[in-house]
Amino acid sequence: SAVISQKPSRDICQRGTSLTIQCQVDSQVTMMFWYRQQPGQSLTLIATANQGSEATYESGFVIDKFPISRPNLTFSTLTVSNMSPEDSSIYLCSVVHMDSYEQYFGPGTRLTVT
Amino acid sequence: QQQVKQSPQSLIVQKGGISIINCAYENTAFDYFPWYQQFPGKGPALLIAIRPDVSEKKEGRFTISFNKSAKQFSLHIMDSQPGDSATYFCAASNESASKIIFGSGTRLSIRP
């Protein structure tokens, strides 16, 4: 398995501001993903974080709103830009190890936008 | 075609009973089917997973049954315990995509 940490664990932000969420893994992984989970709902994939290149976004998510960086094999950031109350959600980082399909999730960042 | 349909939405089981959650998929390219367990305030945790070359996989009290022809798979929790109360997600992915498609989730409550 992998030990994944996320910072911050939660935050309350004002409308129109931006928040950057960090994801750190304790070992090198092939793939890193960012998900969003509304309370009581399933997980929705935002994007795949690619090392050294632009992230690959899913339908409905754009780089201007959710810029992502992945400078190396163990670290990634997700920024939620120009936030609105609709962005209130849990944001989860996940990783896939180099030699397996297995995907592991971080503890999540609970974001509330007021 | 990318959907994974999960049922029931919620489930209440008596302690010691068997909890059964069902999922169905359409994309025959899927070749990896994990189940995740999520407690409130925590990220999903990988519970058990199966590949389509076997019809069943068992780990302790948790068993996945897989029916390739029907494109269905299910999670069975034997001797269910109050500590099993959580939300369970089935999922599917394929090797080339590595993206996991999640079911809608099942909120399981085990009554003492």
Side-chain angles (χ1 to χ4, degrees):
Chain A
S1 64
V3 177
I4 306 168
S5 60
Q6 284 186 233
K7 291 181 181 179
S9 59
R10 58 176 62 226
D11 207 341
I12 301 173
C13 300
Q14 296 288 329
R15 180 196 299 260
T17 63
S18 297
L19 176 72
T20 295
I21 303 167
Q22 298 180 3
C23 176
Q24 179 73 55
V25 191
D26 67 341
S27 57
Q28 293 187 347
V29 294
T30 51
M31 305 188 77
M32 297 181 77
F33 303 93
W34 287 98
Y35 286 82
R36 183 170 73 182
Q37 185 178 30
Q38 306 280 5
Q41 302 295 314
S42 187
L43 292 87
T44 300
L45 180 63
I46 297 172
T48 302
N50 300 309
Q51 186 200 357
S53 63
E54 192 171 289
T56 304
Y57 290 85
E58 297 300 303
S59 176
F61 298 96
V62 295
I63 187 171
D64 290 345
K65 177 67 176 177
F66 298 101
I68 289 170
S69 77
R70 186 182 174 190
N72 56 53
L73 290 175
T74 63
F75 185 80
S76 177
T77 66
L78 167 73
T79 299
V80 186
S81 304
N82 188 25
M83 289 183 285
S84 66
E86 292 70 36
D87 294 321
S88 296
S89 189
I90 299 170
Y91 291 85
L92 294 146
C93 169
S94 75
V95 303
V96 175
H97 257 294
M98 285 187 164
D99 56 357
S100 75
Y101 287 113
E102 295 177 351
Q103 186 166 132
Y104 299 96
F105 285 82
T109 296
R110 183 179 294 271
L111 170 63
T112 302
V113 183
T114 60
Chain B
Q1 194 175 13
Q2 287 293 318
Q3 281 188 327
V4 177
K5 296 182 179 179
Q6 183 172 348
S7 63
Q9 185 175 9
S10 63
L11 180 63
I12 299 174
V13 176
Q14 289 295 125
K15 178 182 175 182
I18 302 173
S19 303
I20 302 174
I21 304 171
N22 301 299
C23 285
Y25 64 98
E26 295 181 355
N27 188 346
T28 55
F30 288 147
D31 61 359
Y32 176 66
F33 303 88
W35 284 87
Y36 286 84
Q37 179 188 56
Q38 186 176 30
F39 293 105
K42 305 290 186 182
L46 179 62
L47 187 63
I48 186 173
I50 197 169
R51 304 221 176 137
D53 53 341
V54 297
S55 60
E56 185 176 283
K57 183 174 181 180
K58 183 176 181 180
E59 290 185 1
R61 295 184 295 110
F62 300 92
T63 300
I64 300 179
S65 297
F66 186 82
N67 186 330
K68 188 174 181 178
S69 60
K71 291 185 284 186
Q72 296 175 348
F73 58 110
S74 60
L75 176 70
H76 296 233
I77 306 174
M78 313 301 285
D79 186 26
S80 299
Q81 299 296 313
D84 297 330
S85 298
T87 300
Y88 292 82
F89 293 96
C90 65
S93 72
N94 64 61
E95 180 181 9
S96 61
S98 292
K99 294 188 298 186
I100 286 185
I101 308 298
F102 283 87
S104 55
T106 296
R107 181 171 293 183
L108 175 65
S109 296
I110 307 300
R111 292 260 175 88

